[in-house]
Amino acid sequence: MSGVLKAACVQVNAGTEILPNLQAAGDLVRRARDAGADFIALPENVSMIVQGRAKVLERVRTADEHPAIPFFADLARETGAWLLAGTLGVLLDDGRVANRSYLFDAEGRAVAHYDKLHMFDVDLKGGESYRESATFRPGDRAVLAATPWGGVGMTVCYDLRFAYLYRALAQAGAAILTVPAAFTVPTGRAHWHTLLRARAIETGCFLLAPAQTGSHDQGRLTYGHSLIVAPWGEVLADAEEAVGFVLAELDMARVEEARRMVPALTHDRTFTLDRVGF
């Protein structure tokens, strides 16, 4: 890992129809590239946000038929930037859907894809409830992709709560961790900044966390605040709540610097667990 990378997180407010969402995202990617970004990351569900299994299944497509995949491949080729295409809903053979993140290189090649491992099945205060596993099939592999600036570990949204995944990616060679997200407002206010800073500090990685923002189908609200976080835990950029993008320079030497000062990734120990008094 070496050099200085200018990275961008694009923040969108996705609607229910794929093509208008792609056009809006593409415009922001071009603006970020014009501002100098070499690596541009987009949020989870960048091609659509709809509520309910039936509405999702009406709109998703197989990987061979999904219009967003050639769209983002062409966009990466056009701009000459590396592009993390957030996540797309990809229809699988068993009738379920993968929440899949794609990474395109500057020539438009899909060099890696990752299916979200952890399903967002939660019940929040105020009656806000989600069952991602009712429609989506969880992935079963972690993904580390090589780039000119170092390894990129790919994760998605709710994965953020599972620190072991980020530690494994960092120990395998990740210098940058991507977290495209559509965080709810209650969990975002309570946990988003804290969890992202913690994952950066624990791993000594840069984190790129592009997010959805605003009101969506059936009044679903997302938190926004796309973040770029440094290996020492500083927030380098915060998009707050507006549609747009944020930029930051990532000095990749800071990864080794942070890990040299606190080499926690090398300090794993095995242990037994004693349950006392149960």
Side-chain angles (χ1 to χ4, degrees):
M1 64 193 81
S2 62
V4 176
L5 165 64
K6 196 165 188 178
C9 285
V10 169
Q11 185 158 287
V12 304
N13 173 248
T16 59
E17 301 302 325
I18 292 176
L19 295 182
N21 291 326
L22 295 182
Q23 182 176 20
D27 290 345
L28 288 169
V29 167
R30 293 182 183 96
R31 287 174 51 195
R33 179 57 169 163
D34 289 344
D38 298 305
F39 189 110
I40 303 169
L42 293 147
E44 182 182 27
N45 298 327
V46 65
S47 65
M48 67 171 186
I49 291 184
V50 295
Q51 296 294 94
R53 174 180 170 83
K55 291 172 73 173
V56 171
L57 292 176
E58 285 174 3
R59 290 165 173 79
V60 294
R61 299 290 183 268
T62 64
D64 290 338
E65 299 174 340
H66 205 302
I69 296 172
F71 176 86
F72 286 121
D74 290 344
L75 188 60
R77 189 180 308 111
E78 171 197 330
T79 59
W82 282 67
L83 188 61
L84 182 86
T87 72
L88 311 174
V90 177
L91 185 63
L92 303 173
D93 291 342
D94 65 0
R96 288 187 290 173
V97 181
N99 194 355
R100 182 169 294 174
S101 184
Y102 282 92
L103 180 63
F104 297 93
D105 69 11
E107 296 181 5
R109 295 173 296 201
V111 296
H113 71 266
Y114 162 76
D115 292 351
K116 184 177 181 181
L117 277 171
H118 301 96
M119 297 288 95
F120 190 54
D121 291 356
V122 303
D123 298 293
L124 306 177
K125 288 182 179 180
E128 197 170 350
S129 181
Y130 299 91
R131 289 292 179 273
E132 191 173 21
S133 64
T135 305
F136 292 85
R137 188 176 78 187
D140 57 9
R141 64 189 185 104
V143 176
L144 177 67
T147 77
W149 308 279
V152 171
M154 301 171 69
T155 74
V156 176
C157 200
Y158 190 54
D159 287 335
L160 186 58
R161 296 180 181 274
F162 300 87
Y164 60 83
L165 173 60
Y166 294 80
R167 187 173 186 83
L169 288 166
Q171 289 176 326
I176 300 168
L177 297 166
T178 56
V179 196
F183 247 60
T184 70
V185 170
T187 58
R189 286 175 178 161
H191 303 145
W192 176 246
H193 287 73
T194 301
L195 286 170
L196 284 164
R197 293 187 66 204
R199 297 296 88 86
I201 293 165
E202 292 164 352
T203 62
C205 288
F206 285 100
L207 264 72
L208 302 180
Q212 293 277 350
T213 190
S215 180
H216 309 271
D217 185 40
Q218 297 185 31
R220 177 179 175 178
L221 299 175
T222 52
Y223 180 62
H225 290 275
S226 298
L227 296 185
I228 302 176
V229 186
W232 202 242
E234 313 98 298
V235 174
L236 302 179
D238 184 335
E240 299 187 353
E241 297 178 2
V243 168
F245 65 92
V246 289
L247 292 164
E249 288 192 349
L250 280 52
D251 181 352
M252 301 310 298
R254 295 194 62 189
V255 174
E256 290 300 334
E257 178 185 49
R259 294 175 181 179
R260 185 168 58 250
M261 290 189 291
V262 183
L265 291 174
T266 68
H267 290 168
D268 285 344
R269 288 182 55 80
T270 58
F271 55 86
T272 60
L273 174 63
D274 294 335
R275 293 170 57 86
V276 179
F278 285 90

